[in-house]
C-alpha cells in the first residue's frame, strides 16, 4: 500500500469531482432533467440527464460534466443584490 501522502492528490481530486457531480445532479434535478439520487456518482441516469440538458442548451452532447456544460449550468446563478 502506498504511503498516504502519495494518495493525497488523488483522493482530493476524487472528492472534488464527487462534490461537483453532486451539484450538477442537484441542478439537473431542479431543472427537471434528473430523477435519481444526488450522490455524486456518475451512472447511466446521470449521463442521460446530462445528454438531455446538453441537447436542450445547444451544447455538444457528450453526456459528461465537461467544462462548457458546467459553465452553462451554473452561469444562471446570480449573486445576491448588494
Amino acid at each position: 500500500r502506498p504511503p498516504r501522502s502519495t494518495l493525497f492528490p488523488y483522493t482530493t481530486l476524487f472528492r472534488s469531482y464527487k462534490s461537483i457531480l453532486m451539484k450538477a445532479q442537484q441542478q439537473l434535478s431542479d431543472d427537471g432533467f434528473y430523477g435519481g439520487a444526488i450522490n455524486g456518482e456518475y451512472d447511466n441516469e446521470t449521463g442521460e440527464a446530462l445528454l438531455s440538458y446538453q441537447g436542450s442548451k445547444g451544447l455538444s452532447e457528450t453526456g459528461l460534466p465537461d467544462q462548457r456544460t458546467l459553465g452553462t449550468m451554473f452561469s444562471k446563478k446570480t449573486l445576491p443584490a448588494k
Side-chain angles (χ1 to χ4, degrees), residues 15-58:
R15 285 187 200 124
S16 295
Y17 177 78
K18 190 167 184 163
S19 174
I20 290 167
L21 194 53
M22 285 178 72
K23 290 175 184 170
Q25 287 172 329
Q26 184 62 60
Q27 190 61 50
L28 289 165
S29 177
D30 292 348
D31 291 345
F33 292 97
Y34 182 68
I38 310 298
N39 57 12
E41 294 180 16
Y42 185 90
D43 55 16
N44 288 337
E45 196 168 1
T46 302
E48 290 297 322
L50 283 163
L51 280 170
S52 296
Y53 178 84
Q54 290 163 335
S56 76
K57 301 296 180 185

